[in-house]
Amino acid sequence: MDHQSTRGLQQFKNFVGIKFQLYNSLFTSLPFHRIEKTGILLSLLLNNCEEGYKHKLSPTQIIEEFFEKHTPYQKDQDRCDLLFRFIQYVERQVVLFDALEDASFREVQDMNGIGTLKYLESAVIQENAQEQLAEKLKDFSIRLVLTAHPTQFYPGSVLGIINDLAKALADNNTSQINMYLQQLGKTPFFKKQKPTPYDEAVSLVWYLENVFYPAAGRIVSFLKNQFPQAVPDNNPIITMGFWPGGDRDGNPFVTADTTLKVADLLRGSIIKCYYLDVRRLKRRLTFKGIDTILADLEKQLYDNIFIPGQKTALSKEGILTELYKIREILTYQHNGLFQHLVENLINKIQVFGLHFASLDVRQDSSVHKTVLDAVGSKEKLLPDNYDSLSEEEKIKVLTSIKKTTHPELYEEGVIRDTLQSITTIRNIQEYNGPEGSNRYIISQCNSALNIMEVFGLFLLNGWTKESMNIDIVPLFETIDDLKNAAGVMESLYKNEIYRDHLKRRNKRQTIMLGFSDGTKDGGYLMANWSIYKAKEELTRISRNYEIDVVFFDGRGGPPARGGGKTHKFYASMGNNISNKEIQLTIQGQTVSSNFGTIDSAQFNIEQLLNAGISNSVLSAKEKTLEGDDEALLMELADESLKAYTTLKNHPDFLNYLSHISPLKFYSETNIGSRPAKRGSSSKLALKDLRAIPFVGAWSQLKQNVTGYYGVGMALQALDRKGKLPAIKQLYRQSQFFKTLIDNCEMAMRKCFFPLTEYLANDARYGEIWNMIFQEYELTKKYIFQLSGKNELMFDYPVEQLSIQVRERIVLPLTTIQQYAMARIRELEEQQAPAGHKDIFEKLVIRCSFGIINAGRNSA
């Protein structure tokens, strides 16, 4: 363990571990119903769980033994009442732990260490690489896209308390801490209704205003101060994207009105941030000549927020012109006094403009076909024989559209909304600037025609080829789509009209690659390898056609959905993969756990910037994978896919997930506005199942199948062929492969098989449980051979300890959840009357909150 890891671990124990024990005792005085006993009884239950699992007891045996030994309760109603109080109690313990981790971030992490900009600065100076840095920063940037994928169980009110609690904990302000913990006790965690897409937008805008706005200002100011010549004014370096209100894929609640409302919210929020900053500047810049400019600017911003109809009187360029005037007066008349404050605001305006974050519109490819069919039959805007034309002929028709459609002719619903959403983009650009909304993402994209259908829809809505300042972004997700992606793009690059479109977009094509459905489809290793290979092929083909390709990664929180040590993946891409920009989705708990405070956001954004910059600027470049390495990884991925496919095709695979995990209760947790699966069929099909419930269900079972299954069998198959020494060599040399294994270890560290070991001999599910458990053990054995360690996550002691404490806090919840699921199965077998299961179903749903929140990046 290196010095920083040892220091970080000690700080973590002091600032998080010990304080958690101290403040945890305050919970006994929280204003709960009969709370005094709850704390004591919960610690007895925790002890029962730990001892019970050692003796191979089932969750049902553990819970029933606890009630017999420690309580007088006999009736289900009384017992469940106590279990609900335990859930409330544990949820708030998780909040306390979250707040303690947030408060101690600076102490535990090395804010100037490897991966930070401070570290990059010294490396650039040491290697005399200032010119290479300036060259790289001409067009390099990172884009963080906030999405409303529902893995964040905390309502906004609780997020606010966590934030305030973290500040009080950092200051050791005991009376405030006690007050916030009391507030927490009285604040409901459960949402009675599903949030609307607009509600989701409002909760993410909180992070934009309170975290990303100040963090981005700090980072850009640091870069400009240290390397004044390297950062051009026309490249913001950090940009934000936004999906709530624009992402329609499978979400019938997102309409054109929602999209406009969210764009308005974003514009109003950023103007409010500028207004508050200008007010602060006024307190310092009280000098003649400057005071009047600031007063005018303040009035303009104020009118835009509070006076209706003032929207158009403001532009990004207009605000910057006024601030440049102030900067000049300060430089020449006041020796640059307080100039850094003005520079900081200028930097923020260059990053956020009047749009704050670019609102992406996303829709499924099948919808575009439906819309074109409707337009063709109702308005005769396409040839009668359109359906029977070849793909090439259809593309010809779509690129030569001259007439426009009339959305009002269609009933309320997906056809009308899809057409209106394209008009909405133009409205947003008018008020929020061209960056307000300039990308249309096509999910389930699998052909060049899918992309040209969107091109045709823009023409049908009155855009001309010359005025179409929109990036059309295909999203490739399944293993087959990833394999075919390069061929699809090549046929587009050959199309003259599309090539002209790209010329007008600075010869830049953005391509989105989704981890989630790839993992669900092909398992952990194959999904990651398919994305790597797709990027390599897409880079090669784009370079052949002199197009700059930009990859936008749809990453979730957990390794199974492309999360984990994200910055290390970007640092590990060799020269064969385009590195023009780093773009990725940030969602659910990843927002609050990695970007929940200004410090953690700054640290994690710096890590991403460093990964992208150091790759091309510094001499210690990551070794590009050679032919032999690629062949080895391909072989591993193939073997892994075989193993995962066997599991996936097991006749009881979906039944197991449906009956043993809380999968079917996901849509009732009211955490997201989207349904848990695509389509309206009542039958559960893996294809329709959204990746979040799929991954989240495995994570609550503490089996995390999607984060390692197939890795052990793949390593074993190659070991039998005598290739283990070559794999060990690859592990030592390739950061890409090492990061894959590191993330796999994280998924495994969060597993706890004793929880479900009662199924080992089950007549129906014993076989599938044993397949999963044996693969876990096999993977662990081979990972230890690769790493030379005998503990998972040995190299990451702080995260290892954090996971350990969090898993222990929620052990009673996972036990209660499994107990409730067992009772539901029992009642179903007995064909009990409707209503008997209700209380147990509520228990399952309520346990999900604490389990997922404690996992931080588990769904």
Side-chain angles (χ1 to χ4, degrees):
M1 207 185 291
D2 61 27
H3 168 70
Q4 171 51 30
S5 297
T6 312
R7 181 195 152 276
L9 184 61
Q10 197 46 54
Q11 295 289 76
F12 186 86
K13 285 175 178 170
N14 294 343
F15 286 93
V16 184
I18 292 170
K19 280 188 171 184
F20 180 69
Q21 297 305 328
L22 286 171
Y23 290 119
N24 202 13
S25 60
L26 284 175
F27 274 72
T28 50
S29 62
L30 280 185
F32 285 130
H33 168 58
R34 303 206 304 248
I35 189 68
E36 305 74 32
K37 279 202 187 141
T38 307
I40 298 157
L41 286 172
L42 180 62
S43 58
L44 289 170
L45 174 59
L46 176 60
N47 187 50
N48 252 38
C49 292
E50 289 177 329
E51 290 305 310
Y53 289 125
K54 275 181 200 161
H55 294 105
K56 299 194 181 300
L57 297 184
S58 72
T60 305
Q61 289 168 315
I62 288 169
I63 297 286
E64 285 179 350
E65 184 186 276
F66 163 76
F67 279 122
E68 295 301 326
K69 260 196 201 166
H70 302 293
T71 76
Y73 305 134
Q74 292 299 320
K75 287 186 187 157
D76 274 349
Q77 185 61 52
D78 295 335
R79 289 181 166 194
C80 288
D81 188 40
L82 179 63
L83 295 178
F84 277 117
R85 291 214 305 281
F86 286 160
I87 294 167
Q88 273 193 317
Y89 197 98
V90 172
E91 278 176 341
R92 285 151 180 83
Q93 284 182 309
V94 173
V95 168
L96 174 63
F97 197 78
D98 279 351
L100 280 164
E101 283 202 329
D102 286 349
S104 64
F105 193 87
R106 265 186 180 271
E107 277 69 34
V108 175
Q109 299 293 343
D110 184 353
M111 298 298 282
N112 297 321
I114 292 172
T116 62
L117 288 182
K118 197 83 188 132
Y119 187 86
L120 179 72
E121 179 199 7
S122 52
V124 167
I125 292 165
Q126 215 173 333
E127 291 195 20
N128 212 4
Q130 286 90 334
E131 277 182 33
Q132 292 94 309
L133 179 69
E135 187 56 36
K136 177 73 180 171
L137 291 181
K138 270 184 190 168
D139 57 2
F140 175 76
S141 66
I142 66 163
R143 180 188 288 235
L144 303 174
V145 181
L146 301 179
T147 81
H149 287 16
T151 59
Q152 174 55 271
F153 282 71
Y154 292 135
S157 50
V158 175
L159 286 170
I161 299 171
I162 294 177
N163 197 269
D164 297 338
L165 185 57
K167 284 180 188 150
L169 287 162
D171 299 337
N172 286 321
N173 186 331
T174 316
S175 66
Q176 262 194 341
I177 292 165
N178 192 31
M179 211 162 54
Y180 293 143
L181 288 176
Q182 288 197 43
Q183 183 189 359
L184 202 59
K186 288 178 175 287
T187 303
F189 277 43
F190 186 62
K191 293 173 182 166
K192 290 274 189 286
Q193 289 170 314
K194 271 182 178 293
T196 64
Y198 186 75
D199 295 334
E200 290 171 332
V202 169
S203 51
L204 282 177
V205 165
W206 185 92
Y207 287 100
L208 281 174
E209 289 178 1
N210 293 285
V211 178
F212 290 102
Y213 180 74
R218 277 190 199 176
I219 290 169
V220 178
S221 295
F222 174 86
L223 274 172
K224 285 191 172 177
N225 288 340
Q226 307 316 112
F227 303 105
Q229 264 58 61
V231 185
D233 280 349
N234 62 352
N235 179 27
I237 294 178
I238 299 166
T239 60
M240 299 299 298
F242 206 76
W243 273 22
D247 178 13
R248 294 155 157 66
D249 176 18
N251 192 339
F253 307 110
V254 177
T255 63
D257 280 350
T258 316
T259 308
L260 270 177
K261 234 174 111 179
V262 170
D264 226 28
L265 169 73
L266 287 164
R267 186 179 191 273
S269 299
I270 192 59
I271 293 173
K272 186 170 72 181
C273 291
Y274 297 155
Y275 172 71
L276 293 171
D277 268 356
V278 166
R279 298 268 315 228
R280 287 183 201 108
L281 277 180
K282 272 182 77 180
R283 293 189 59 171
R284 297 283 82 84
L285 303 180
T286 47
F287 319 139
K288 191 168 177 248
I290 292 179
D291 51 355
T292 51
I293 299 175
L294 278 177
D296 286 348
L297 192 52
E298 182 191 9
K299 183 177 182 328
Q300 260 191 297
L301 293 166
Y302 180 90
D303 289 352
N304 248 272
I305 308 170
F306 297 110
I307 297 182
Q310 288 290 320
K311 255 180 166 184
T312 48
L314 199 64
S315 72
K316 171 184 171 181
E317 293 67 31
I319 304 173
L320 285 171
T321 304
E322 298 306 295
L323 291 173
Y324 292 151
K325 281 185 208 163
I326 292 172
R327 181 170 68 181
E328 199 167 307
I329 298 170
L330 287 176
T331 308
Y332 294 111
Q333 295 177 29
H334 303 285
N335 299 325
L337 185 62
F338 298 130
Q339 191 174 323
H340 66 287
L341 299 176
V342 179
E343 293 286 2
N344 191 287
L345 181 53
I346 287 171
N347 295 338
K348 287 171 180 169
I349 292 165
Q350 283 167 345
V351 169
F352 298 114
L354 285 186
H355 61 284
F356 215 161
S358 295
L359 189 55
D360 289 341
V361 172
R362 178 171 82 131
Q363 184 53 285
D364 190 279
S365 61
S366 61
V367 170
H368 304 132
K369 185 183 180 315
T370 306
V371 174
L372 286 167
D373 287 347
V375 165
S377 62
K378 196 174 194 103
E379 299 183 73
K380 306 293 179 210
L381 296 177
L382 297 175
D384 290 342
N385 66 339
Y386 177 78
D387 264 355
S388 59
L389 299 177
S390 68
E391 179 164 315
E392 209 170 301
E393 289 166 332
K394 282 179 179 170
I395 288 175
K396 216 170 206 164
V397 168
L398 292 167
T399 50
S400 51
I401 286 169
K402 295 278 189 292
K403 294 175 182 168
T404 55
T405 180
H406 298 85
E408 67 279 3
L409 297 175
Y410 302 89
E411 287 175 25
E412 291 286 337
V414 73
I415 293 168
R416 185 169 175 172
D417 177 71
T418 305
L419 295 171
Q420 284 179 334
S421 68
I422 293 171
T423 311
T424 300
I425 292 172
R426 188 186 280 120
N427 294 341
I428 294 170
Q429 289 193 358
E430 197 180 317
Y431 289 117
N432 293 17
E435 301 94 350
S437 182
N438 58 8
R439 307 204 302 186
Y440 195 108
I441 298 163
I442 309 161
S443 48
Q444 309 273 343
C445 181
N446 45 41
S447 68
L449 177 61
N450 286 164
I451 294 153
M452 296 316 283
E453 282 168 342
V454 171
F455 191 92
L457 284 170
F458 271 87
L459 293 178
L460 279 168
N461 275 274
W463 297 65
T464 63
K465 288 170 192 162
E466 293 68 37
S467 70
M468 208 187 291
N469 58 345
I470 296 290
D471 294 327
I472 301 174
V473 180
L475 164 52
F476 300 109
E477 299 179 85
T478 65
I479 303 299
D480 282 346
D481 289 348
L482 290 164
K483 276 186 187 140
N484 301 331
V488 168
M489 295 316 297
E490 183 162 32
S491 62
L492 276 175
Y493 294 156
K494 283 178 177 168
N495 182 296
E496 199 178 327
I497 290 171
Y498 192 75
R499 211 166 52 243
D500 286 345
H501 171 69
L502 287 180
K503 273 182 199 156
R504 288 188 289 273
R505 302 302 292 155
N506 296 325
K507 289 190 161 183
R508 184 169 279 213
Q509 171 70 54
T510 304
I511 297 173
M512 187 174 179
L513 303 163
F515 279 78
S516 302
D517 281 309
T519 319
K520 192 182 79 175
D521 185 37
Y524 177 72
L525 262 187
M526 183 50 101
N528 278 283
W529 180 240
S530 298
I531 284 169
Y532 184 92
K533 282 306 287 175
K535 282 184 175 180
E536 213 173 43
E537 274 300 287
L538 288 163
T539 302
R540 185 180 64 75
I541 276 171
S542 302
R543 284 175 181 164
N544 285 352
Y545 288 89
E546 296 179 344
I547 301 294
D548 285 335
V549 67
V550 171
F551 295 118
F552 172 25
D553 288 316
R555 290 172 172 273
R561 294 186 40 244
K565 312 216 161 300
T566 307
H567 59 279
K568 292 205 167 179
F569 262 124
Y570 287 116
S572 74
M573 298 292 140
N575 298 328
N576 294 347
I577 289 179
S578 168
N579 182 24
K580 279 283 173 195
E581 285 184 30
I582 287 178
Q583 296 194 5
L584 68 157
T585 53
I586 309 284
Q587 59 203 46
Q589 297 132 306
T590 315
V591 181
S592 52
S593 59
N594 290 0
F595 302 90
T597 65
I598 299 170
D599 283 341
S600 62
Q602 183 179 343
F603 181 81
N604 284 302
I605 293 170
E606 286 190 16
Q607 295 282 323
L608 286 170
L609 277 168
N610 193 321
I613 294 170
S614 56
N615 238 347
S616 345
V617 171
L618 302 175
S619 55
K621 290 196 185 87
E622 167 64 21
K623 176 177 157 284
T624 302
L625 288 170
E626 302 297 335
D628 290 352
D629 299 337
E630 291 218 350
L632 204 56
L633 278 162
M634 188 70 232
E635 209 174 336
L636 278 170
D638 281 338
E639 289 293 346
S640 164
L641 177 63
K642 275 185 217 163
Y644 178 72
T645 306
T646 304
L647 177 73
K648 200 173 72 167
N649 292 342
H650 189 287
D652 272 324
F653 180 72
L654 275 178
N655 289 331
Y656 178 78
L657 203 54
S658 184
H659 290 130
I660 309 295
S661 85
L663 176 72
K664 59 187 176 195
F665 300 105
Y666 247 82
S667 55
E668 291 164 54
T669 52
N670 289 341
I671 50 163
S673 66
R674 275 196 332 186
K677 64 187 193 68
R678 291 182 173 96
S680 53
S681 143
S682 57
K683 191 175 180 302
L684 188 61
L686 192 61
K687 180 176 69 70
D688 297 330
L689 194 59
R690 289 205 172 274
I692 289 165
F694 182 69
V695 172
W698 286 116
S699 117
Q700 289 187 67
L701 264 184
K702 296 295 160 200
Q703 291 182 357
N704 285 334
V705 159
T706 42
Y708 64 84
Y709 199 94
V711 175
M713 281 187 256
L715 289 166
Q716 185 183 55
L718 269 71
D719 181 16
R720 284 174 178 159
K721 294 179 187 175
K723 294 185 179 180
L724 196 60
I727 295 170
K728 285 182 177 174
Q729 174 83 348
L730 183 66
Y731 178 81
R732 286 191 296 273
Q733 284 185 347
S734 164
Q735 174 82 3
F736 172 75
F737 184 54
K738 174 150 192 337
T739 306
L740 262 183
I741 298 297
D742 281 354
N743 281 344
C744 190
E745 289 186 47
M746 186 195 290
M748 293 172 74
R749 187 83 210 189
K750 294 178 179 179
C751 288
F752 183 66
F753 279 91
L755 177 72
T756 47
E757 199 173 344
Y758 68 96
L759 293 167
N761 301 313
D762 186 83
R764 182 166 189 190
Y765 296 122
E767 186 182 9
I768 203 161
W769 187 89
N770 282 297
M771 282 170 77
I772 295 166
F773 178 60
Q774 282 156 14
E775 175 60 357
Y776 170 83
E777 289 295 323
L778 186 65
T779 305
K780 194 162 69 169
K781 177 186 132 185
Y782 273 102
I783 283 179
F784 290 164
Q785 285 189 47
L786 291 183
S787 66
K789 309 287 187 330
N790 59 359
E791 258 180 73
L792 293 169
M793 291 184 74
F794 181 87
D795 293 337
Y796 302 96
V798 171
E799 285 151 292
Q800 190 193 50
L801 183 58
S802 173
I803 290 170
Q804 194 180 314
V805 178
R806 286 170 174 277
E807 293 297 317
R808 187 167 186 263
I809 293 171
V810 295
L811 186 60
L813 293 197
T814 48
T815 306
I816 292 168
Q817 190 179 59
Q818 276 299 308
Y819 162 73
M821 302 273 304
R823 291 297 306 271
I824 291 167
R825 289 195 297 276
E826 193 186 303
L827 289 165
E828 282 171 350
E829 277 161 26
Q830 293 164 3
Q831 295 182 330
H836 280 223
K837 294 185 302 185
D838 290 2
I839 194 161
F840 295 109
E841 289 180 349
K842 277 191 187 132
L843 271 178
V844 172
I845 294 164
R846 292 292 283 117
C847 285
S848 292
F849 287 50
I851 298 167
I852 292 276
N853 282 336
R856 279 224 146 167
N857 69 347
S858 51

